[in-house]
Amino acid sequence: MKPIECEGCPLYDAPGPVAGSGPPDASICFVGEAPASDEIASGLPFTGGAGRVLSVLVRKAGGDRNYCWIRNSVRCQVPGNDMGSYEHAEAAIQHCSENFLIPELEESPHVKVVVPLGNSANWILTRRGKVGEGIYNFRGYPYVDPVYKFIVLPTIHPAALMRDRTMFNVVVTDLRKAFRIANEGYKRPPEEFQIPSTPFEVEAAVETLLQAKVPVTIDIENPNGQLVVLGFGIMSLCHVCAFRRRVRRPLLENRRRGGAGDCGDQSTPCVAGRARRLCNSSNTRGFG
Ligand code: SF4
């Protein structure tokens, strides 16, 4: 017999529920997707293959899963264990999380960081991305919502690492960050933005980046094959953006974040030349 809160949930007749694990005073909570057969049998989350991977990840990040909360977005088993193709996925996640997971997190005075493992949990906690889609665009970046008393830091689901271990160390790094925030609190790194207003200022700023002996990031936005934005940065300390086209909305959005200036079409040739040199220099790394 399921509790009254379950009435109306698409998974009402599915096997479960499997609640959570972890001590009442845990400061970090991992949130997966749904229990599978191993979890239904044990009555505990993450006790199958993905659970073993999670234990290793947590240990390598310097933690111990016995001192963490472990939860799922839904507490009952999804047909075929495949949330991505389950037609009522969003309704079930919303119903279960809003009745159990989110109230539990909000009522805890101890939880400082919540780590969505995969996009189901990320979607319900941040309303970003889509259920069944990849989480690569969101992983590793702390998400601050004034509604929550905790920071959300999404990463890749351990089950995905069972299929492809390429991102294993990336997830360990994400979890290290999560433990650090849980122990020390979250401080947004100081940022220094440069807003060039002329092509000459852009050229000077890019030249400064060329001289720097630290990794430089370049962000190239080219929707529909047209170059719209070139962004350059040194770690999180300095950012320069140059716009080829006067695209109103991105410009406003970037200005609101304090990170961009519109240099106009004239700046493109000089910036593009410097960008080529930056791309070829040994201190440059590119991100998509
Ligand atoms: S998924 Fe959650 S809300 Fe739905 S039936 Fe199971 S425990 Fe209840």
Side-chain angles (χ1 to χ4, degrees):
M1 186 74 178
K2 292 185 177 175
I4 194 164
E5 292 91 338
C6 295
E7 285 179 11
C9 174
L11 289 172
Y12 190 86
D13 295 321
V18 173
S21 65
D25 59 349
S27 59
I28 188 163
C29 176
F30 298 102
V31 184
E33 195 163 72
S37 302
D38 288 317
E39 286 78 21
I40 297 292
S42 68
L44 291 167
F46 279 92
T47 46
R52 286 190 285 280
V53 176
L54 178 64
S55 301
V56 174
L57 289 165
V58 170
R59 204 167 53 243
K60 285 196 174 291
D64 181 339
R65 69 174 275 176
N66 293 318
Y67 294 100
C68 305
W69 272 13
I70 302 180
R71 303 288 188 269
N72 275 311
S73 311
V74 296
R75 295 179 166 201
C76 296
Q77 191 171 13
V78 174
N81 297 322
D82 186 0
M83 189 71 92
S85 62
Y86 176 45
E87 59 177 328
H88 304 300
E90 289 188 0
I93 293 170
Q94 184 149 348
H95 190 107
C96 194
S97 292
E98 289 183 354
N99 276 287
F100 296 106
L101 174 69
I102 293 174
E104 199 181 9
L105 292 171
E106 286 181 333
E107 284 162 21
S108 166
H110 301 288
V111 171
K112 302 282 187 297
V113 182
V114 178
V115 181
L117 300 167
N119 236 346
S120 294
N122 185 52
W123 174 75
I124 193 63
L125 285 161
T126 69
R127 296 296 178 168
R128 300 178 307 170
K130 286 184 182 163
V131 174
E133 281 191 4
I135 195 164
Y136 284 35
N137 286 344
F138 306 107
R139 59 135 289 276
Y141 292 99
Y143 173 83
V144 183
D145 187 329
V147 168
Y148 296 143
K149 288 181 289 186
F150 47 82
I151 301 290
V152 180
L153 200 148
T155 194
I156 297 162
H157 196 287
L161 299 178
M162 294 169 72
R163 297 186 290 272
D164 176 6
R165 284 181 56 89
T166 318
M167 300 295 278
F168 188 91
N169 287 336
V170 171
V171 178
V172 171
T173 303
D174 292 346
L175 298 194
R176 271 198 200 116
K177 188 187 288 184
F179 280 110
R180 192 169 61 242
I181 294 171
N183 291 331
E184 300 169 10
Y186 177 61
K187 294 183 208 81
R188 198 177 160 80
E191 291 178 307
E192 199 179 282
F193 290 102
Q194 200 165 344
I195 306 179
S197 55
T198 68
F200 305 107
E201 287 177 17
V202 173
E203 192 172 358
V206 174
E207 194 61 47
T208 304
L209 296 182
L210 269 169
Q211 305 298 327
K213 297 296 177 204
V214 293
V216 174
T217 57
I218 302 177
D219 187 19
I220 302 169
E221 302 291 340
N222 57 339
N224 307 318
Q226 289 187 314
L227 181 63
V228 174
V229 177
L230 276 174
F232 307 96
I234 297 176
M235 302 178 80
S236 57
L237 297 175
C238 172
H239 303 276
V240 179
C241 289
F243 290 78
R244 177 189 170 89
R245 296 179 158 267
R246 292 179 186 275
V247 183
R248 193 168 179 74
R249 214 177 55 168
L251 173 62
L252 288 176
E253 281 173 2
N254 278 302
R255 278 231 167 110
R256 214 172 287 132
R257 284 180 294 180
D262 183 353
C263 310
D265 288 355
Q266 290 171 308
S267 67
T268 304
C270 67
V271 173
R274 294 300 189 280
R276 267 195 296 278
R277 284 178 60 200
L278 270 171
C279 288
N280 292 330
S281 75
S282 58
N283 60 343
T284 301
R285 285 182 203 164
F287 293 88

